[in-house]
Amino acid sequence: MNSDPTTHNIHPSPNPGSGNREWNESQAPQGAALEKTFGREEILLPVKCNQHPWMKMFISVVKTPFYAVSGPDGKYELKGLPPGDYTLAFVHEKFGEKTQKVTLAAKESKTVNINFQP
Ligand SMILES: [Cu+2]
């Protein structure tokens, strides 16, 4: 959705081999919302605005409902995971990916912290 009084351009550039399709669409000021889907899982799919070179973001496409985006304080929460063994993947646009294994018992809650600093 473009709530700004200027035209933007939404230009996702999927990573080669991802199987997702590149597209490029302008969106008028106060224009109707665009609804798009990506057919394949992809982490950190880059999106830019061709009108404004400083406008960049990433989209992560996942099949699981268990994902989170950390807040400004770095905190995240995953709710409703069934008991089991998991590998949590933490992804940062500059520092890459780190993983952490975790085992959850029924009704158990755990804190998993990750540090991207060297
Ligand atoms: Cu823009």
Tab-separated table of all heavy atoms in Angstrom, residues 33-63:
chain	number	residue	atom	x	y	z
A	33	ALA	N	-3.963	-0.950	-2.972
A	33	ALA	CA	-2.967	-1.896	-2.493
A	33	ALA	C	-2.673	-2.937	-3.562
A	33	ALA	O	-3.561	-3.342	-4.310
A	33	ALA	CB	-3.464	-2.575	-1.221
A	34	LEU	N	-1.411	-3.322	-3.679
A	34	LEU	CA	-1.009	-4.417	-4.557
A	34	LEU	C	-0.941	-5.679	-3.715
A	34	LEU	O	-0.396	-5.663	-2.617
A	34	LEU	CB	0.377	-4.157	-5.155
A	34	LEU	CG	0.540	-2.961	-6.072
A	34	LEU	CD1	2.012	-2.794	-6.445
A	34	LEU	CD2	-0.303	-3.148	-7.314
A	35	GLU	N	-1.479	-6.766	-4.236
A	35	GLU	CA	-1.372	-8.029	-3.516
A	35	GLU	C	-0.642	-9.015	-4.409
A	35	GLU	O	-1.080	-9.286	-5.537
A	35	GLU	CB	-2.755	-8.553	-3.151
A	35	GLU	CG	-2.680	-9.729	-2.201
A	35	GLU	CD	-4.026	-10.050	-1.560
A	35	GLU	OE1	-4.743	-9.107	-1.167
A	35	GLU	OE2	-4.341	-11.245	-1.479
A	36	LYS	N	0.480	-9.517	-3.922
A	36	LYS	CA	1.322	-10.423	-4.710
A	36	LYS	C	1.697	-11.619	-3.857
A	36	LYS	O	1.698	-11.533	-2.632
A	36	LYS	CB	2.611	-9.717	-5.137
A	36	LYS	CG	2.398	-8.454	-5.952
A	36	LYS	CD	2.036	-8.768	-7.371
A	36	LYS	CE	1.993	-7.500	-8.209
A	36	LYS	NZ	1.701	-7.794	-9.610
A	37	THR	N	2.043	-12.697	-4.518
A	37	THR	CA	2.542	-13.861	-3.804
A	37	THR	C	3.823	-14.344	-4.472
A	37	THR	O	4.062	-14.059	-5.650
A	37	THR	CB	1.516	-15.015	-3.810
A	37	THR	OG1	1.227	-15.365	-5.164
A	37	THR	CG2	0.227	-14.621	-3.098
A	38	PHE	N	4.632	-15.045	-3.713
A	38	PHE	CA	5.830	-15.687	-4.244
A	38	PHE	C	5.649	-17.184	-4.075
A	38	PHE	O	5.234	-17.650	-3.024
A	38	PHE	CB	7.075	-15.203	-3.494
A	38	PHE	CG	7.362	-13.745	-3.720
A	38	PHE	CD1	6.890	-12.786	-2.832
A	38	PHE	CD2	8.060	-13.328	-4.832
A	38	PHE	CE1	7.129	-11.440	-3.047
A	38	PHE	CE2	8.302	-11.988	-5.064
A	38	PHE	CZ	7.838	-11.040	-4.170
A	39	GLY	N	5.964	-17.936	-5.126
A	39	GLY	CA	5.682	-19.361	-5.127
A	39	GLY	C	6.669	-20.224	-4.364
A	39	GLY	O	6.368	-21.359	-4.026
A	40	ARG	N	7.855	-19.709	-4.100
A	40	ARG	CA	8.911	-20.524	-3.485
A	40	ARG	C	9.432	-19.866	-2.212
A	40	ARG	O	9.445	-18.643	-2.107
A	40	ARG	CB	10.104	-20.669	-4.448
A	40	ARG	CG	9.738	-21.134	-5.819
A	40	ARG	CD	9.602	-22.617	-5.868
A	40	ARG	NE	9.303	-23.012	-7.250
A	40	ARG	CZ	8.991	-24.220	-7.608
A	40	ARG	NH1	8.928	-25.157	-6.698
A	40	ARG	NH2	8.734	-24.509	-8.861
A	41	GLU	N	9.894	-20.729	-1.321
A	41	GLU	CA	10.530	-20.189	-0.117
A	41	GLU	C	11.801	-19.445	-0.515
A	41	GLU	O	12.552	-19.901	-1.377
A	41	GLU	CB	10.885	-21.314	0.856
A	41	GLU	CG	9.678	-21.883	1.562
A	41	GLU	CD	10.079	-22.821	2.686
A	41	GLU	OE1	10.618	-23.893	2.390
A	41	GLU	OE2	9.846	-22.452	3.851
A	42	GLU	N	12.024	-18.330	0.124
A	42	GLU	CA	13.249	-17.564	-0.127
A	42	GLU	C	13.493	-16.649	1.065
A	42	GLU	O	12.592	-15.935	1.500
A	42	GLU	CB	13.124	-16.740	-1.418
A	42	GLU	CG	14.399	-15.993	-1.757
A	42	GLU	CD	14.384	-15.366	-3.150
A	42	GLU	OE1	13.481	-15.675	-3.954
A	42	GLU	OE2	15.288	-14.559	-3.416
A	43	ILE	N	14.720	-16.651	1.560
A	43	ILE	CA	15.080	-15.814	2.700
A	43	ILE	C	15.821	-14.588	2.180
A	43	ILE	O	16.722	-14.694	1.367
A	43	ILE	CB	15.967	-16.590	3.701
A	43	ILE	CG1	15.256	-17.875	4.151
A	43	ILE	CG2	16.338	-15.718	4.896
A	43	ILE	CD1	13.926	-17.671	4.837
A	44	LEU	N	15.425	-13.450	2.654
A	44	LEU	CA	16.022	-12.163	2.288
A	44	LEU	C	15.944	-11.900	0.780
A	44	LEU	O	16.948	-11.616	0.131
A	44	LEU	CB	17.469	-12.056	2.792
A	44	LEU	CG	17.649	-12.073	4.311
A	44	LEU	CD1	19.121	-11.936	4.677
A	44	LEU	CD2	16.831	-10.976	4.988
A	45	LEU	N	14.760	-11.956	0.259
A	45	LEU	CA	14.503	-11.590	-1.138
A	45	LEU	C	14.565	-10.051	-1.211
A	45	LEU	O	13.781	-9.362	-0.562
A	45	LEU	CB	13.114	-12.119	-1.519
A	45	LEU	CG	12.644	-12.084	-2.958
A	45	LEU	CD1	11.399	-12.939	-3.107
A	45	LEU	CD2	12.400	-10.712	-3.503
A	46	PRO	N	15.517	-9.500	-1.980
A	46	PRO	CA	15.677	-8.045	-1.997
A	46	PRO	C	14.565	-7.334	-2.773
A	46	PRO	O	14.142	-7.800	-3.829
A	46	PRO	CB	17.025	-7.828	-2.691
A	46	PRO	CG	17.525	-9.146	-3.115
A	46	PRO	CD	16.503	-10.188	-2.804
A	47	VAL	N	14.119	-6.214	-2.238
A	47	VAL	CA	13.097	-5.382	-2.885
A	47	VAL	C	13.590	-3.944	-2.851
A	47	VAL	O	14.081	-3.471	-1.832
A	47	VAL	CB	11.744	-5.461	-2.135
A	47	VAL	CG1	10.681	-4.641	-2.854
A	47	VAL	CG2	11.283	-6.910	-1.985
A	48	LYS	N	13.472	-3.275	-3.993
A	48	LYS	CA	13.860	-1.863	-4.016
A	48	LYS	C	12.770	-1.035	-4.686
A	48	LYS	O	11.858	-1.576	-5.312
A	48	LYS	CB	15.188	-1.673	-4.745
A	48	LYS	CG	15.140	-2.052	-6.213
A	48	LYS	CD	16.509	-1.903	-6.856
A	48	LYS	CE	16.455	-2.348	-8.313
A	48	LYS	NZ	17.741	-2.249	-8.980
A	49	CYS	N	12.884	0.272	-4.519
A	49	CYS	CA	12.015	1.223	-5.213
A	49	CYS	C	12.872	1.924	-6.252
A	49	CYS	O	13.872	2.558	-5.900
A	49	CYS	CB	11.448	2.234	-4.210
A	49	CYS	SG	10.553	3.585	-4.994
A	50	ASN	N	12.512	1.796	-7.515
A	50	ASN	CA	13.326	2.405	-8.570
A	50	ASN	C	13.232	3.932	-8.574
A	50	ASN	O	14.070	4.598	-9.186
A	50	ASN	CB	12.916	1.862	-9.938
A	50	ASN	CG	13.270	0.396	-10.109
A	50	ASN	OD1	13.930	-0.197	-9.269
A	50	ASN	ND2	12.828	-0.194	-11.205
A	51	GLN	N	12.220	4.469	-7.923
A	51	GLN	CA	12.060	5.925	-7.850
A	51	GLN	C	12.990	6.545	-6.800
A	51	GLN	O	13.401	7.685	-6.935
A	51	GLN	CB	10.614	6.296	-7.482
A	51	GLN	CG	9.562	5.785	-8.433
A	51	GLN	CD	9.576	6.523	-9.751
A	51	GLN	OE1	9.837	7.719	-9.797
A	51	GLN	NE2	9.296	5.813	-10.824
A	52	HIS	N	13.237	5.806	-5.740
A	52	HIS	CA	13.988	6.341	-4.601
A	52	HIS	C	15.070	5.333	-4.221
A	52	HIS	O	14.778	4.343	-3.556
A	52	HIS	CB	13.042	6.579	-3.419
A	52	HIS	CG	11.844	7.400	-3.785
A	52	HIS	ND1	10.575	6.872	-3.888
A	52	HIS	CD2	11.742	8.718	-4.098
A	52	HIS	CE1	9.728	7.835	-4.242
A	52	HIS	NE2	10.406	8.953	-4.368
A	53	PRO	N	16.322	5.591	-4.638
A	53	PRO	CA	17.387	4.598	-4.452
A	53	PRO	C	17.658	4.231	-2.985
A	53	PRO	O	18.243	3.187	-2.714
A	53	PRO	CB	18.620	5.260	-5.072
A	53	PRO	CG	18.204	6.581	-5.587
A	53	PRO	CD	16.748	6.782	-5.342
A	54	TRP	N	17.238	5.066	-2.057
A	54	TRP	CA	17.488	4.760	-0.639
A	54	TRP	C	16.445	3.805	-0.066
A	54	TRP	O	16.586	3.313	1.039
A	54	TRP	CB	17.510	6.052	0.184
A	54	TRP	CG	16.203	6.791	0.174
A	54	TRP	CD1	15.165	6.627	1.055
A	54	TRP	CD2	15.794	7.796	-0.751
A	54	TRP	NE1	14.127	7.460	0.714
A	54	TRP	CE2	14.479	8.200	-0.396
A	54	TRP	CE3	16.393	8.406	-1.866
A	54	TRP	CZ2	13.774	9.173	-1.096
A	54	TRP	CZ3	15.680	9.374	-2.548
A	54	TRP	CH2	14.398	9.748	-2.166
A	55	MET	N	15.388	3.538	-0.833
A	55	MET	CA	14.326	2.659	-0.329
A	55	MET	C	14.646	1.204	-0.683
A	55	MET	O	14.603	0.816	-1.852
A	55	MET	CB	12.956	3.061	-0.902
A	55	MET	CG	12.515	4.444	-0.480
A	55	MET	SD	10.900	4.888	-1.146
A	55	MET	CE	9.848	3.964	-0.023
A	56	LYS	N	14.972	0.429	0.332
A	56	LYS	CA	15.306	-0.982	0.143
A	56	LYS	C	14.714	-1.782	1.293
A	56	LYS	O	14.588	-1.269	2.405
A	56	LYS	CB	16.820	-1.193	0.168
A	56	LYS	CG	17.565	-0.476	-0.914
A	56	LYS	CD	19.056	-0.665	-0.724
A	56	LYS	CE	19.825	0.195	-1.705
A	56	LYS	NZ	21.259	0.200	-1.424
A	57	MET	N	14.393	-3.019	1.030
A	57	MET	CA	13.932	-3.909	2.092
A	57	MET	C	14.120	-5.350	1.638
A	57	MET	O	14.555	-5.603	0.521
A	57	MET	CB	12.462	-3.660	2.420
A	57	MET	CG	11.507	-4.048	1.320
A	57	MET	SD	9.817	-3.922	1.930
A	57	MET	CE	9.005	-5.025	0.776
A	58	PHE	N	13.819	-6.251	2.523
A	58	PHE	CA	13.868	-7.673	2.204
A	58	PHE	C	12.549	-8.315	2.605
A	58	PHE	O	11.922	-7.900	3.567
A	58	PHE	CB	15.000	-8.372	2.969
A	58	PHE	CG	16.366	-7.891	2.586
A	58	PHE	CD1	16.974	-6.865	3.289
A	58	PHE	CD2	17.034	-8.463	1.520
A	58	PHE	CE1	18.236	-6.414	2.938
A	58	PHE	CE2	18.296	-8.019	1.162
A	58	PHE	CZ	18.895	-6.996	1.871
A	59	ILE	N	12.172	-9.329	1.849
A	59	ILE	CA	11.018	-10.157	2.194
A	59	ILE	C	11.547	-11.575	2.384
A	59	ILE	O	12.369	-12.040	1.588
A	59	ILE	CB	9.970	-10.159	1.059
A	59	ILE	CG1	9.361	-8.771	0.879
A	59	ILE	CG2	8.877	-11.200	1.326
A	59	ILE	CD1	8.441	-8.661	-0.338
A	60	SER	N	11.096	-12.242	3.411
A	60	SER	CA	11.407	-13.661	3.564
A	60	SER	C	10.125	-14.447	3.364
A	60	SER	O	9.109	-14.152	3.995
A	60	SER	CB	12.034	-13.950	4.926
A	60	SER	OG	13.355	-13.446	4.939
A	61	VAL	N	10.185	-15.413	2.457
A	61	VAL	CA	9.029	-16.244	2.122
A	61	VAL	C	9.253	-17.612	2.752
A	61	VAL	O	10.235	-18.284	2.432
A	61	VAL	CB	8.876	-16.388	0.592
A	61	VAL	CG1	7.638	-17.192	0.246
A	61	VAL	CG2	8.858	-15.016	-0.079
A	62	VAL	N	8.394	-18.004	3.673
A	62	VAL	CA	8.542	-19.287	4.361
A	62	VAL	C	7.213	-20.029	4.363
A	62	VAL	O	6.157	-19.418	4.309
A	62	VAL	CB	9.045	-19.095	5.819
A	62	VAL	CG1	10.456	-18.526	5.827
A	62	VAL	CG2	8.110	-18.209	6.614
A	63	LYS	N	7.298	-21.366	4.414
A	63	LYS	CA	6.083	-22.177	4.437
A	63	LYS	C	5.535	-22.327	5.849
A	63	LYS	O	4.365	-22.582	6.033
A	63	LYS	CB	6.365	-23.563	3.858
A	63	LYS	CG	6.621	-23.550	2.366
A	63	LYS	CD	6.897	-24.959	1.865
A	63	LYS	CE	7.203	-24.943	0.378
A	63	LYS	NZ	7.681	-26.250	-0.087
